[in-house]
Amino acid sequence: MSDFIFFTTTIIKCILVLAVFAALPGFATFLERKALARIHRRVGPDMVGPSGVLQIVPDMIKLFTKEDITPYLANSKVFKFAPLISTICVFMAFAAVPLFPEFKLFGYVIKPIIADVNIAVLYIAGCSSICTYAIFLGGMASYNKYALLGGARALVSIISYESISGLCLLAIVLLTGSMSLVDVNNYQHGGILSWLVFKQPIAFVLFTIAIFIETNRTPLCLAENDPELVAGYGTEYSGLRWGMFFIGEYASMMLGAILINLLFLGGYNDFYFIPGAIAMFLKVCLIFSGYFWARGAFPHLRADQVMRTCYLILLPLACINLIVTALLAL
C-alpha cells in the first residue's frame, strides 16, 4: 500500500470515528430514557415521532440554542477548555481500538483501526487518565463550591478505581504477552472457551466495576450526588460546553463497552455461525445496555461506601489476581 493510500485511508478512518461516535450519544440518550421508563414502569419519550424516536431533535435544538454562560469570577480559560479535554482524550483513545475484523475493499485490505500500536493498552489507559482532569478542572474553575466538591469527589474515586482497572489490564497483558488489542483479540480466536472471561473472571468483574466509575455511571458515580440539587462538576455549565461533557461521557461508555468485549468476551472473532463483525456489534450493544439496566435497577451508593469497597475489597482482590496470574504465567 502506497503512502498516499495509507494516509487517505487513515484520514477517512479518523473522520468516520469522529462522525459516528459524536452522533451516537444523542440516540443513546433516547434509548436510555426508554429503557429507564420501561424499568420504572413509566412512559418515557413518546410524543415526538414514532414512539418518541425524534425526541433527540428538540433536545439538540435546545442544546445548541441555550445561552452559554461563564460565571463572573470563574477562571474563564480553564472553564472553557475543560470540556474539550473530556471529549478530545476519549476520541484519541479510539485510535488504538480495533472495531471490526479486517476486510477487503477495491482490492485493498482495510483494517478497522486507526493505529495498531504495540502499546495500545498503555496508550488507552493514559488517554482515559487525562479525561479525569477535565472533570476536576471544570469544577475547580467554576468558582462554585458545589462544582468544586463534585469535581474533587469524582477525581478521587476515578483515580482510586483506575488502580484496579490498571491491575486487571496487567493481568491480561501477562496472560496474552502483548499490549496490542489486536493480539489480545487474536488470543481468543479458539472459540467461546478461549475467551478471557473464563480465564480471568475476577479481572472481568473488577474491570467492569472500574469502567462504571470511570464513565461516571450510576450506581457508582460520585461526580453527581443524588441528595444534591445540583449537577456536580457541571453545575455552572450550559449549552454546548455542557454538551461536550455529555458527548465525552457517552463516548467513554461506548469505549468501555468495546474494551470489555475485546479484553474478555472474544472481541470480533466469529461466534459459531455469527460473523465477527456482527458478533462484535451484538456484544457491545449488550454490554452498553448493561449501563441502562444498572442505573434503573440499583440505588446510588454513598461516597464512603464506594471508597471503602475500593480499598478494602476490590483493590486486594485485584492484587491477588495479578500475583496468581503472574505465577501461572511463569
Side-chain angles (χ1 to χ4, degrees):
M1 183 181 292
S2 66
D3 292 340
F4 174 75
I5 296 177
F6 174 77
F7 177 78
T8 304
T9 54
T10 302
I11 293 298
I12 293 175
K13 291 175 188 177
C14 293
I15 294 174
L16 287 175
V17 168
L18 288 173
V20 172
F21 289 102
L24 281 179
F27 185 65
T29 57
F30 166 76
L31 294 178
E32 181 171 18
R33 293 166 71 181
K34 295 295 282 188
L36 293 178
R38 180 64 61 90
I39 293 173
H40 295 156
R41 294 185 178 180
R42 295 184 283 108
V43 176
D46 69 333
M47 300 193 63
V48 185
S51 299
V53 70
L54 297 180
Q55 180 63 44
I56 59 176
V57 176
D59 289 344
M60 293 303 295
I61 293 174
K62 181 181 74 172
L63 182 65
F64 280 99
T65 57
K66 198 170 184 179
E67 183 179 3
D68 183 17
I69 299 174
T70 301
Y72 176 68
L73 294 176
N75 187 324
S76 60
K77 293 182 179 179
V78 177
F79 182 84
K80 295 176 181 178
F81 189 65
L84 294 176
I85 299 176
S86 175
T87 306
I88 290 173
C89 292
V90 175
F91 285 112
M92 286 175 56
F94 274 105
V97 176
L99 301 176
F100 296 106
E102 62 182 34
F103 59 93
K104 282 190 175 183
L105 183 65
F106 303 119
Y108 296 100
V109 177
I110 305 298
K111 296 182 178 180
I113 180 174
I114 297 174
D116 182 14
V117 293
N118 56 2
I119 55 168
V121 172
L122 185 62
Y123 170 77
I124 294 171
C127 290
S128 63
S129 297
I130 297 175
C131 290
T132 61
Y133 291 101
I135 295 175
F136 180 68
L137 289 175
M140 183 177 63
S142 297
Y143 198 75
N144 181 299
K145 60 182 179 182
Y146 297 108
L148 177 61
L149 287 173
R153 189 172 56 218
L155 180 66
V156 170
S157 63
I158 293 174
I159 290 178
S160 300
Y161 277 83
E162 274 187 347
S163 61
I164 295 174
S165 63
L167 292 173
C168 295
L169 290 174
L170 280 176
I172 297 298
V173 170
L174 285 174
L175 202 59
T176 60
S178 176
M179 287 189 180
S180 170
L181 290 178
V182 175
D183 293 339
V184 173
N185 176 85
N186 295 337
Y187 181 87
Q188 306 174 77
H189 76 282
I192 188 171
L193 293 180
S194 66
W195 290 4
L196 288 173
V197 66
F198 299 109
K199 300 179 181 180
Q200 288 287 322
I202 296 178
F204 169 71
V205 174
L206 297 182
F207 187 79
T208 303
I209 294 174
I211 287 294
F212 269 81
I213 285 286
E214 294 181 31
T215 54
N216 298 321
R217 296 299 299 178
T218 305
L220 303 175
C221 169
L222 296 183
E224 298 182 27
N225 201 13
D226 278 351
E228 299 173 351
L229 298 179
V230 291
Y233 67 92
T235 298
E236 297 292 348
Y237 282 94
S238 62
L240 286 179
R241 300 195 192 280
W242 179 87
M244 296 296 287
F245 277 122
F246 163 81
I247 292 174
E249 179 176 322
Y250 274 83
S252 297
M253 292 166 57
M254 297 172 193
L255 177 64
I258 294 172
L259 287 178
I260 291 173
N261 180 37
L262 288 172
L263 293 172
F264 297 100
L265 301 180
Y268 52 77
N269 293 298
D270 294 343
F271 183 68
Y272 295 109
F273 61 90
I274 303 176
I278 298 177
M280 177 81 171
F281 176 76
L282 293 176
K283 285 184 286 187
V284 169
C285 288
L286 180 62
I287 298 169
F288 196 77
S289 64
Y291 293 117
F292 307 156
W293 171 76
R295 180 178 180 181
F298 296 103
H300 207 127
L301 299 181
R302 299 195 314 265
D304 63 306
Q305 293 173 326
V306 174
M307 300 307 296
R308 187 183 299 114
T309 302
C310 173
Y311 287 107
L312 298 183
I313 300 176
L314 302 185
L315 190 58
L317 279 177
C319 292
I320 294 172
N321 180 71
L322 179 61
I323 294 172
V324 173
T325 303
L327 294 175
L328 294 177
L330 292 175

